[in-house]
Amino acid sequence: MGPDIKRRRLLPWAVVGLWVVVIAVAAMFAGKLSDVSRDEAVDYLPASADSTHVEKVRQELPGGETTDLIVVYHRDGGLTADDRTTAEEQLARVATEQKLTAPPKGIPSEDGTLLMYPIASAVPDEPGIDKEAVQIAFVEDVRALTSEGGGSGGSSGLDIEVAGSGALQSDMEAVFESIDGTLMMATVLVVAVLLIITYRSPFLWIVPLFVVGAAAVSSMAVVYGLVQAFDTVVSSQSSAIMTVLVFGAGTDYALLIVARYREELRRVPQPYDAMRIALRGCGPAVLASSGTVAAGLLCLMAADLNSSSGMGPIAAIGVVCALIAMLTLLPAVLVLLGRRVFWPLIPVHGSEGKQRRSFFAAMGTSAARKPVAVLVTGLVVLGALALGVLNLPGALKQEDGFIDRPESVVGMARLADAFPEQSAQPISIMAPDAKAGAALDTARSVSGVAEAERGRSGGGWTEITVFAKDAPESAGETATIERLRSTLDDETYVGGPSAQQIDLADTNARDRLYVIPLVVIAVLLILIALLRSLVAPLMLVFAVVVVWGASMGIGGLVFEPLLGFAGMDPGLALLSFVFLVALGVDYGIFLMHRMREEALKGAEPEAAALTALRTTGGVIASAGVVLAATFGVLASLPLVMLVEMGLLVAVGVLLDTFLVRTYLVTSASVLLGRKVWWPGALSKPPAAPRTGEGQPGRNGPGDQDGPGDREREPVGTGA
């Protein structure tokens, strides 16, 4: 037995064995990632904002960070004496069993229908204490102690809700805790169904699903290791996005590799050799594809918003793990299983598939017949859709962030109705001790302030609590916060929930100005290196930017008019741009890389474009549907920001897959001809005409499908 034969037999087994060890070790740590995820306010706030500084200082005050609640008692016809007695008894028990920063004091509404009790409990700032768990436990205990004798919808007619920023955060935590398992199961199910439809095989779909699962477990273990080693902050949002990217991008890479491998099995007798040739052919495209996604995500590190900058490297780790698994474990498993894994559509060596007219060949022909009309029509359609951005809703308020209204949101709505003349949500001012008195006097004199009082002091800082006259997150309260910031000393900071929303909107606007150009430059550089051209990369990037604009426009037509969403998450525009540009360029890479292969073999520009579309169209369609479906899973989750993200990216990917790549890029390539490769060597006419291989309609040794060269699947398959 020669060394080459030994390598062919041993290498796949060695790779699988190594991955078995990796999976076994990773599984021990992957499940712990949710335990170290953090969803505190500072993890989602801008790093340099006033409100972030206030939140950090509040955690250092005596007693540590506080959990602020408002217990709301409401009866439509007016509170009775028994209702007030019930409230006093319940709050007395709360004060006895919980460590409150101050005794509870009831504040009635003018119409007598509502009584509110603002309360707060300090979270000990001690090593080893899980602050989030302590805060959630406090909210749950207060809700349990106040649930007797009333309750929303109770038979007594007395409605009791625990609201306030602490309750809102607790309800948000409860939603995030339910996301991990739901998202993973839904994503696995969606990918499995689509792979079964794509491959029409009882066995083949299991292989890429198993491999992408291994990549997901590995990525979670790596991120958990980063948390332990470097105290990296991982939020539930970034963890959810990483899971979607691993399954979406990983399955896309698997579809491309499996499709190319099956084609080579018809030309090459041994699976090992067929896989080696397949990886040599599509490997650069897969590497460039993952490189654009990872580079685009890493550009998020330049964002000032903590949730965006933290998401970048975590999501990039997921993409890299998916890439490594698809270039090592997937080929090894496929080689070991041999041709039989494709049953019943087994690619026999030397065989030819059924001769059917390719759907994508027909699309390419129609684009090539009238390229100007196709290109102009497509751009007009996308431009018209982009006009929908004029109808996008405003910034999403905290209480509008849930699909279903939890108790905290119901309580805050009651407070807004009962106290229209004053906000029930405090504005926090953090002033140096030496300037606290002056800051308090200044705050009381600012127009729009209903009342202000001195709070806790410690570490050289004093907290001043301010209540505005206008409702939380209204235009009036926003103006009051801005007046406070412009009037108070530069060393005094204004924060609180409403100020955080203002800072989020401002920072997201700033981040878009910095991060979007970085993403475009990073993607362009990778495309230039891969395609050896300037024109083709510019064309691809322009195409995905147009798709992003059209997707945002569709959001404006759908979010509020059809779905009833009261606002849009401030970070949605930036994150959707990064995902759509980085992921959308993937399909451009698959198409243009194959077009370049055909051009290198001597094919004329139009023939190269049509061959590339015919041979990669099925793979691109399958990959696009899978990626759109995985992001679409986010739309089933109970948070508005994730639903909006899932819908935007899913719609954008489908537009890119079935309109931009198939029609617009193909028609533009036909119009530009050799200029699409300028200034590379392919932009110049060949010195002499070539005969034989590479001519239109002929298959060269490295060519993929010629007409009737493979079993044709229905539209959207890439098997």
Side-chain angles (χ1 to χ4, degrees):
M1 182 183 298
D4 187 55
I5 297 178
K6 287 183 178 180
R7 184 176 68 253
R8 294 182 182 187
R9 292 185 177 180
L10 295 179
L11 183 58
W13 283 111
V15 171
V16 172
L18 177 62
W19 267 99
V20 168
V21 175
V22 170
I23 295 171
V25 174
M28 295 188 295
F29 302 102
K32 299 180 179 180
L33 181 59
S34 59
D35 297 333
V36 298
S37 296
R38 288 170 38 183
D39 294 296
E40 297 180 9
V42 293
D43 300 323
Y44 288 88
L45 292 175
S48 61
D50 275 19
S51 58
T52 308
H53 188 81
V54 169
E55 198 65 27
K56 290 180 178 179
V57 173
R58 291 184 78 234
Q59 297 178 10
E60 303 299 326
L61 292 177
E65 184 179 357
T66 62
T67 304
D68 300 315
L69 304 179
I70 302 176
V71 183
V72 179
Y73 295 87
H74 173 268
R75 185 184 291 274
D76 286 332
L79 294 171
T80 65
D82 289 340
D83 294 337
R84 294 185 176 87
T85 300
T86 297
E88 291 174 0
E89 291 175 351
Q90 290 183 350
L91 267 298
R93 287 199 297 270
V94 170
T96 301
E97 299 186 20
Q98 301 293 323
K99 294 182 179 179
L100 303 181
T101 58
K105 178 183 178 182
I107 303 174
S109 63
E110 290 186 1
D111 61 5
T113 62
L114 184 142
L115 180 65
M116 72 169 179
Y117 282 84
I119 60 174
S121 176
V123 181
D125 188 15
E126 300 174 6
I129 288 183
D130 188 340
K131 293 183 179 181
E132 293 181 23
V134 172
Q135 291 173 325
I136 292 173
F138 173 61
V139 175
E140 291 177 348
D141 290 344
V142 172
R143 282 176 171 167
L145 290 170
T146 58
S147 63
E148 301 175 6
S152 185
S155 57
S156 69
L158 175 63
D159 299 318
I160 306 174
E161 289 95 19
V162 178
S165 59
L168 192 66
Q169 183 67 23
S170 178
D171 289 337
M172 187 74 74
E173 288 285 347
V175 171
F176 276 126
E177 286 180 3
S178 68
I179 282 178
D180 290 338
T182 303
L183 181 64
M184 180 65 75
M185 290 187 293
T187 304
V188 170
L189 180 62
V190 166
V191 172
V193 170
L194 291 175
L195 286 175
I196 292 172
I197 296 173
T198 297
Y199 289 134
R200 294 187 298 175
S201 167
F203 308 111
L204 181 57
W205 66 273
I206 300 174
V207 178
L209 188 62
F210 164 75
V211 175
V212 79
V217 171
S218 302
S219 62
M220 288 188 285
V222 171
V223 173
Y224 176 78
L226 289 178
V227 173
Q228 297 300 314
F230 304 104
D231 198 27
T232 304
V233 176
V234 181
S235 67
S236 298
Q237 184 187 48
S238 59
S239 178
I241 295 298
M242 182 184 73
T243 299
V244 169
L245 281 174
V246 170
F247 275 86
T251 306
D252 280 4
Y253 304 151
L255 289 169
L256 186 65
I257 292 171
V258 171
R260 189 68 177 253
Y261 172 58
R262 187 175 68 174
E263 293 161 3
E264 297 302 335
L265 284 173
R266 297 195 188 97
R267 304 186 181 99
V268 181
Q270 296 298 324
Y272 180 93
D273 296 328
M275 180 58 73
R276 185 175 60 181
I277 296 172
L279 289 177
R280 188 181 301 162
C282 67
V286 173
L287 284 170
S289 171
S290 61
T292 57
V293 178
L297 291 169
L298 289 175
C299 289
L300 285 172
M301 295 176 67
D304 188 43
L305 190 64
N306 288 335
S307 57
S308 296
S309 60
M311 182 186 297
I314 292 169
I317 287 172
V319 172
V320 171
C321 287
L323 171 70
I324 295 173
M326 293 306 159
L327 290 181
T328 56
L329 181 58
L330 177 67
V333 173
L334 289 175
V335 168
L336 291 175
L337 293 175
R339 285 181 166 84
R340 58 185 177 274
V341 74
F342 289 92
W343 185 87
L345 301 175
I346 298 177
V348 180
H349 176 230
S351 67
E352 292 187 1
K354 299 177 182 179
Q355 296 188 6
R356 296 178 182 175
R357 179 168 175 77
S358 167
F359 174 79
F360 292 97
M363 295 178 74
T365 301
S366 64
R369 187 178 297 117
K370 296 181 178 179
V372 175
V374 169
L375 186 60
V376 171
T377 302
L379 290 175
V380 169
V381 170
L382 292 174
L385 290 174
L387 293 176
V389 299
L390 301 175
N391 195 47
L392 283 170
L396 186 69
K397 296 181 180 179
Q398 287 182 310
E399 62 265 25
D400 295 326
F402 301 88
I403 298 298
D404 299 317
R405 286 160 58 94
E407 180 180 337
S408 59
V409 173
V410 174
M412 294 302 289
R414 293 193 194 279
L415 289 171
D417 293 337
F419 297 93
E421 76 286 351
Q422 179 177 330
S423 171
Q425 183 167 275
I427 300 169
S428 296
I429 296 176
M430 205 63 64
D433 287 342
K435 300 182 178 181
L440 179 61
D441 293 338
T442 301
R444 287 172 173 169
S445 67
V446 170
S447 175
V449 171
E451 64 176 276
E453 59 184 20
R454 186 188 293 262
R456 296 177 297 165
S457 297
W461 293 94
T462 296
E463 182 180 21
I464 298 170
T465 301
V466 174
F467 288 92
K469 294 180 180 179
D470 298 283
E473 298 182 47
S474 64
E477 190 201 39
T478 298
T480 300
I481 293 173
E482 291 174 348
R483 282 193 292 268
L484 284 169
R485 286 179 166 174
S486 61
T487 305
L488 290 168
D489 187 273
D490 290 341
E491 298 180 18
T492 302
Y493 301 94
V494 179
S498 296
Q500 291 171 6
Q501 295 301 108
I502 296 172
D503 291 337
L504 283 172
D506 293 342
T507 302
N508 274 294
R510 173 264 177 199
D511 285 347
R512 287 195 295 270
L513 294 177
Y514 285 91
V515 177
I516 286 178
L518 282 178
V519 173
V520 171
I521 292 171
V523 171
L524 270 176
L525 291 176
I526 294 174
L527 290 176
I528 290 170
L530 175 72
L531 300 176
R532 307 292 198 275
S533 164
L534 289 177
V535 175
L538 287 171
M539 179 178 67
L540 293 180
V541 171
F542 173 77
V544 291
V545 170
V546 171
V547 167
W548 172 68
S551 302
M552 292 293 292
I554 292 175
L557 300 175
V558 170
F559 288 162
E560 190 170 17
L562 295 183
L563 301 180
F565 294 159
M568 189 180 76
D569 186 80
L572 183 61
L574 175 61
L575 293 179
S576 63
F577 180 88
V578 172
F579 293 139
L580 282 177
V581 170
L583 295 170
V585 166
D586 277 11
Y587 307 130
I589 288 174
F590 298 161
L591 181 66
M592 297 300 294
H593 184 261
R594 183 54 194 269
M595 194 184 303
R596 188 171 187 275
E597 282 188 65
E598 297 300 318
L600 285 171
K601 288 183 286 188
E604 290 299 316
E606 181 175 331
L610 297 182
T611 300
L613 179 59
R614 185 184 70 246
T615 55
T616 64
V619 179
I620 291 176
S622 298
V625 170
V626 168
L627 186 61
T630 52
F631 267 93
V633 170
L634 292 176
S636 66
L637 300 178
L639 288 178
V640 170
M641 62 179 177
L642 293 180
V643 173
E644 291 176 340
M645 173 71 71
L647 290 177
L648 271 190
V649 177
V651 168
V653 168
L654 292 177
L655 279 176
D656 191 74
T657 302
F658 293 103
L659 175 60
V660 174
R661 299 301 151 203
T662 50
Y663 279 117
L664 304 191
V665 171
T666 300
S667 60
S669 300
V670 170
L671 283 172
L672 290 170
R674 296 187 184 278
K675 294 178 182 177
V676 76
W677 305 114
W678 184 89
L682 289 175
S683 63
K684 303 175 180 62
R690 299 179 63 179
T691 58
E693 67 170 8
Q695 290 184 359
R698 299 283 302 274
N699 283 350
D703 197 8
Q704 291 188 10
D705 304 329
D709 176 58
R710 57 180 289 190
E711 303 99 286
R712 289 306 309 166
E713 268 66 39
V715 177
T717 64

